[in-house]
């Protein structure tokens, strides 16, 4: 029976590698977002002479939005891989290794995720306010409501995380 238990535990432990292709897929998503970024910057430069100030600001905010999402994907890929699949031991001495790599736990990862979602939502809301003439009051109200929901969710999560940390 002990042998069966050991085999089962080994199978469970090894199953973490099922997440490997997921992190590879996120790396491919970075490439897709890079193409989206290139398209956005191309449109921004193509319209530079005819665009209004508001349209240029919306274009730049779109670039910032894509950059935030790409940064978030990198954090999720590295932290998720190191927390749930395998340590990147060969990269500990690499000169370009980010300082946070290997130090972000699951709780930190969730806080960064909710913080990024709030930031991305805020940028989308700002873009909507820059284009307020083309949106209905109902649409804007929904956007504000969703943003406030994300904001309070993040604050409540951070508060719960802080309370849980004080008990240790």
């Amino acid at each position: 029976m002990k042998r069966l238990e050991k085999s089962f535990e080994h199978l469970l432990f090894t199953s973490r590698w099922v997440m490997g292709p997921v992190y590879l897929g996120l790396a491919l998503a970075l490439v897709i977002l890079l193409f989206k970024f290139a398209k956005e910057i191309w449109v921004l430069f193509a319209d530079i002479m005819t665009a209004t100030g508001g349209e240029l600001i919306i274009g730049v905010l779109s670039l910032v939005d894509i950059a935030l999402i790409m940064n978030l994907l990198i954090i999720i890929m590295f932290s998720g891989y190191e927390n749930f699949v395998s340590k990147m031991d060969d990269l500990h001495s690499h000169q370009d290794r980010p300082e946070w790599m290997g130090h972000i736990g699951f709780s930190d990862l969730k806080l960064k995720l909710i913080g990024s979602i709030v930031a991305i939502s805020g940028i989308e809301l700002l873009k909507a306010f820059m284009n307020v003439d083309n949106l209905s009051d109902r649409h804007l109200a929904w956007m504000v409501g969703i943003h406030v929901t994300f904001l309070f969710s993040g604050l409540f999560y951070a508060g719960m995380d802080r309370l849980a940390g004080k008990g240790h």
Side-chain angles (χ1 to χ4, degrees):
M1 194 57 138
K2 188 70 172 168
R3 186 174 176 191
L4 180 63
E5 181 183 355
K6 269 186 133 179
S7 295
F8 181 71
E9 290 170 355
H10 182 71
L11 176 67
L12 283 179
F13 184 70
T14 305
S15 71
R16 72 191 191 282
W17 283 97
V18 171
M19 288 297 296
V22 172
Y23 296 116
L24 181 60
L26 291 177
L28 294 174
L30 282 173
V31 175
I32 292 168
L33 285 169
L34 179 63
F35 280 108
K36 176 70 174 165
F37 187 89
K39 178 185 169 201
E40 290 287 330
I41 207 159
W42 180 264
V43 168
L44 195 60
F45 275 110
D47 295 340
I48 199 165
M49 299 306 271
T50 59
T52 65
E55 290 169 339
L56 290 175
I57 290 171
I58 289 173
V60 170
L61 286 174
S62 295
L63 296 175
V64 171
D65 202 15
I66 294 169
L68 281 172
I69 293 169
M70 291 177 80
N71 288 338
L72 179 61
L73 281 176
I74 289 171
I75 291 170
I76 290 170
M77 283 184 326
F78 288 163
S79 298
Y81 183 84
E82 281 209 330
N83 280 313
F84 301 113
V85 180
S86 180
K87 299 289 181 204
M88 294 183 188
D89 294 329
D90 293 340
L91 300 177
H92 281 292
S93 60
H94 196 281
Q95 68 183 23
D96 290 334
R97 180 183 166 98
E99 284 185 36
W100 55 264
M101 208 170 141
H103 301 289
I104 294 180
F106 185 60
S107 182
D108 299 325
L109 182 60
K110 289 190 288 186
L111 282 173
K112 289 189 183 310
L113 177 64
I114 193 71
S116 295
I117 289 171
V118 169
I120 291 165
S121 172
I123 288 173
E124 289 300 316
L125 190 57
L126 185 56
K127 285 173 23 181
F129 283 140
M130 296 294 295
N131 197 19
V132 74
D133 295 335
N134 298 330
L135 298 173
S136 70
D137 290 345
R138 182 181 172 144
H139 187 89
L140 283 173
W142 272 105
M143 290 185 76
V144 169
I146 290 169
H147 178 70
V148 169
T149 301
F150 285 149
L151 181 64
F152 280 112
S153 296
L155 289 172
F156 285 134
Y157 185 80
M160 288 186 316
D161 191 58
R162 184 176 178 143
L163 288 174
K166 288 190 179 204
H168 291 75

